[in-house]
Amino acid sequence: MRLPPLLCAVGASIALMGCAENATVSSAANIDPISLATAPPGAAPGTCWGKTVTPAIVQTETRTILLQPAQISSDGRVQAPPIYKSEEQQVVVQPRRESWYEILCAADITPEFIASVQRALEARGYYKGPISGEIDGRTTAAIGRYQRDKGLQSSTLSIAGARKLGLVAVSDIG
């Protein structure tokens, strides 16, 4: 049985609409290559990096603008009151910030290393739970609390955080 061409076209359109539902279309001109980067400019090859982004803080300020001053007669009486206009303006109080920090590469994160992280965090009062060698919710939360106390707003263990925990050797600076 042969289907009419119009019926085939309608069927194909319906099938494609189902595929397009989850697709995202973007213009290359709208993509910020810096935000897609996996390492900061100048990073050493073979190193792994994490990034935290602090959004900009924007406030709305309202200003009152004098459009027309009061009309005052020669004897001091107000003939017409002043006319004002309120104007709102968005002001960036703090700009958006990106902070890069070096992290352990995936190949270095073994169950034994994670167990060491859990023990080190437990010894410092940040982790309460089983030493499982798995990155679970408790471990991630403990890493986040530890690093926040050290000034890094991330629950991904940084190289600096691992060094402070005594888990990663400090490289020789020559």
Side-chain angles (χ1 to χ4, degrees):
M1 176 178 165
R2 185 161 155 48
L3 295 174
L6 180 59
L7 187 57
C8 289
V10 169
S13 296
I14 291 171
L16 287 175
M17 285 189 321
C19 293
E21 181 179 324
N22 294 324
T24 55
V25 179
S26 63
S27 166
N30 293 333
I31 296 175
D32 176 16
I34 302 290
S35 64
L36 295 177
T38 57
T47 58
C48 298
W49 294 83
K51 175 173 59 171
T52 59
V53 177
T54 305
I57 298 174
V58 179
Q59 288 182 342
T60 302
E61 292 182 355
T62 304
R63 299 184 319 167
T64 303
I65 301 169
L66 177 65
L67 294 178
Q68 181 178 333
Q71 302 293 321
I72 301 175
S73 64
S74 59
D75 63 355
R77 287 185 298 138
V78 176
Q79 298 292 322
I83 299 174
Y84 295 96
K85 170 185 164 187
S86 291
E87 186 177 88
E88 289 186 351
Q89 182 178 5
Q90 299 288 318
V91 178
V92 176
V93 177
Q94 180 179 332
R96 177 182 185 270
R97 290 183 306 195
E98 291 183 356
S99 299
W100 288 95
Y101 56 97
E102 192 172 0
I103 61 173
L104 294 155
C105 293
D108 299 326
I109 303 174
T110 63
E112 294 79 20
F113 179 78
I114 297 303
S116 295
V117 170
Q118 290 169 331
R119 283 189 291 275
L121 291 169
E122 181 181 52
R124 289 161 179 81
Y126 288 94
Y127 179 74
K128 290 179 176 44
I131 306 300
S132 63
E134 296 178 12
I135 300 177
D136 55 12
R138 288 179 181 175
T139 306
T140 302
I143 292 169
R145 285 191 302 276
Y146 176 75
Q147 292 196 139
R148 262 188 299 287
D149 288 351
K150 303 299 180 204
L152 178 60
Q153 299 293 322
S154 175
S155 56
T156 300
L157 185 61
S158 66
I159 293 280
R163 283 187 181 134
K164 287 178 183 173
L165 288 169
L167 302 174
V168 175
V170 177
S171 61
D172 292 333
I173 300 174

